[in-house]
Amino acid sequence: MIFTAENISKSYGDLAVLEDLSFQVDQNEILAILGPSGVGKSTLLKCIVQLEKQDQGTFNLDGQKLTDENRTKVGLVFQSSSLFQHRHVLDNLLMAPTYHKLYKEKELLEKAEGYLREFGLLDKKYMYPSSLSGGQKQRIAIIRALLMKPRLLCFDEPTSSLDQDNKALLADILFDIKKDHAILLVSHDEEFVKKVADKSIILGSSL
């Protein structure tokens, strides 16, 4: 067991978005959470990474409650990639690990360039996000998350702006990542989920 959500509830005023939701994600596993827009999928991810606070329930990572101290062990790849537009690719990758002092300087640079090479993007390291395709920006965002050494990696609607070729590439990347991580995938793309997920949860319209 690596990550658990226990009795998670979240409301906005009188609107209950998440109600008593529990699940677990194991090492080397992809768990998909499916459902149409408005059922709380993205809200769940925001609560996990503490961009928002759940009203009830707890998240646990490796048997410990998820707090500010260990939240960097959970990575989130946003739907929009959320890269800093005024910084080139390499700067985008180095900023957070440098701030959190996760590597020595030389080691971090080698690690970042290694991922860029593996993802076929080494020649893009000094380019700015505006010059990249949607698929390239997403891969950069994935590398940025991986450099934070997460135990759990979360994806918010990762196929929303991808064509079929990039979806196939993303599937290969997810299969590779799960060799060393647990993955939580939030999506409305049932066809993609069937290809990559080990198990899935469907959030209903009443949530």
Side-chain angles (χ1 to χ4, degrees), residues 2-3 59-64 66 70 73-74 151-152:
I2 180 173
F3 180 82
F59 298 107
N60 300 287
L61 185 66
D62 292 328
Q64 295 184 330
L66 199 61
N70 61 359
K73 294 182 180 180
V74 177
R151 297 279 286 123
L152 173 71

Side-chain angles (χ1 to χ4, degrees), residues 127-142:
M127 295 181 68
Y128 288 83
S130 60
S131 302
L132 304 175
S133 69
Q136 289 169 341
K137 285 188 281 190
Q138 183 184 64
R139 277 176 275 159
I140 297 299
I142 293 171

